[in-house]
């Protein structure tokens, strides 16, 4: 099983600032990495797949990068609605995928 | 538009069984694989199982093999998840979610069903 490690666990950011979230895979997943956003009481929402492809309707301030074992989600200028928990998920294995433990982005 | 609507909250005793449902609408049911993902209180996401509505083939995470069974009803565009021998650590929100393409990329999610297992 591929282990996904996210850092930091919590990221405190001021509105308008850039946020950089990291995700590391225990073995290469090529570019098969997705990011999800989850707000309290809501289901996760797909943001990024294939490491860098934004899902439909996702604002351009969200961008993903990386390949192999190291990945980054960048939110270029945090808006109030972006404070949430973000999960990475490898979609390299079929079908038994794994998620990271999440990074909580909160208001500084 | 795509909707996945799940059945309501459940309270079960340890050792009991559970049946959850997920109704799909807004797309061709048999064209997309459906998955179940759970989230224990304050915890992360855990992939459990999938079903291909086109034919009914299934796949399960090893820890749920033998305890979870997925079925589908193409006449009603529903998938069902049955889980047996419930334990307190099965207390979680259970989500159904749709994937597209050849990978487990979950583009639409149900609203979630809270399952509480308590004596």
């Amino acid at each position: 099983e591929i282990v996904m490690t996210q850092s930091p666990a919590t990221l405190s950011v001021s509105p308008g600032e850039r946020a950089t979230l990291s995700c590391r895979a225990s073995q290469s997943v090529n570019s098969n990495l997705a990011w999800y956003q989850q707000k309290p009481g809501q289901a996760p929402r797909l943001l990024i797949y294939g490491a860098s492809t934004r899902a439909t309707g996702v604002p351009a301030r969200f961008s993903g990068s990386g390949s192999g074992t190291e990945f980054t989600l960048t939110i270029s200028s945090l808006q109030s609605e972006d404070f949430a928990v973000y999960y990475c998920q490898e979609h390299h294995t079929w079908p038994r995928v794994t998620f990271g433990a999440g990074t909580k982005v909160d208001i500084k | 538009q795509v909707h996945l609507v799940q059945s309501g909250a459940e309270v079960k005793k340890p050792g009991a069984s559970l049946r959850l449902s997920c109704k799909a609408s807004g797309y061709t049911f048999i064209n997309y694989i459906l998955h179940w993902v759970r989230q224990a209180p304050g915890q992360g996401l855990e992939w459990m199982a999938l079903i291909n509505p086109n034919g009914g083939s299934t796949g399960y995470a090893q820890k749920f093999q033998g305890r979870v069974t997925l079925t589908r009803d193409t006449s009603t565009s529903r998938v069902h998840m049955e889980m047996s021998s419930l334990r307190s650590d099965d207390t979680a929100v259970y989500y159904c979610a749709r994937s597209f393409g050849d990978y487990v990329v979950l583009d639409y999610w149900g609203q979630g069903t809270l399952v509480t297992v308590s004596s």
Side-chain angles (χ1 to χ4, degrees), chain A residues 32 34 36 38 42-44 46 49 87 89 91 93-97 99-101, chain B residues 33 37 39 43-45 47 50 60-61 95 100 102-107 109-110:
Chain A
N32 299 315
Y36 300 84
Q38 187 178 34
Q42 296 185 16
L46 177 65
Y49 62 95
Y87 293 96
Q89 174 230 318
H91 55 88
T93 54
W94 174 268
R96 297 168 181 82
V97 298
F99 294 85
Chain B
I33 291 172
V37 175
Q39 185 171 37
Q43 301 301 307
L45 301 164
W47 182 86
L50 67 83
Y60 301 93
Y95 294 101
F100 67 94
D102 295 330
Y103 298 96
V104 181
V105 176
L106 304 170
D107 62 346
W109 295 64

Side-chain angles (χ1 to χ4, degrees), chain A residues 19-99:
Chain A
T20 303
L21 290 67
S22 296
C23 177
R24 174 178 293 177
S26 61
Q27 63 190 74
S28 176
V29 297
N30 295 335
S31 295
N32 299 315
L33 194 284
W35 291 94
Y36 300 84
Q37 175 193 67
Q38 187 178 34
K39 298 179 181 179
Q42 296 185 16
R45 171 197 179 196
L46 177 65
L47 296 177
I48 301 281
Y49 62 95
S52 60
T53 302
R54 277 189 299 276
T56 303
V58 174
R61 63 181 181 272
F62 291 92
S63 64
S65 64
S67 65
T69 61
E70 301 284 344
F71 300 89
T72 300
L73 175 69
T74 301
I75 311 170
S76 60
S77 176
L78 269 157
Q79 307 297 302
S80 57
E81 62 267 29
D82 300 335
F83 293 98
V85 179
Y86 293 83
Y87 293 96
C88 64
Q89 174 230 318
E90 57 84 10
H91 55 88
H92 183 68
T93 54
W94 174 268
R96 297 168 181 82
V97 298
T98 52
F99 294 85

Side-chain angles (χ1 to χ4, degrees), chain B residues 26-72:
Chain B
Y27 70 96
T28 303
F29 179 64
I30 61 171
N31 286 355
Y32 294 84
I33 291 172
L34 286 166
H35 304 254
W36 289 85
V37 175
R38 75 177 185 179
Q39 185 171 37
Q43 301 301 307
L45 301 164
E46 180 177 31
W47 182 86
M48 298 178 65
L50 67 83
I51 186 165
N52 185 341
N54 185 10
S57 60
T58 55
Y60 301 93
Q62 190 167 1
K63 70 179 288 185
F64 298 109
Q65 194 90 35
R67 200 162 70 94
V68 169
T69 302
L70 300 191
T71 57
R72 95 293 190 211

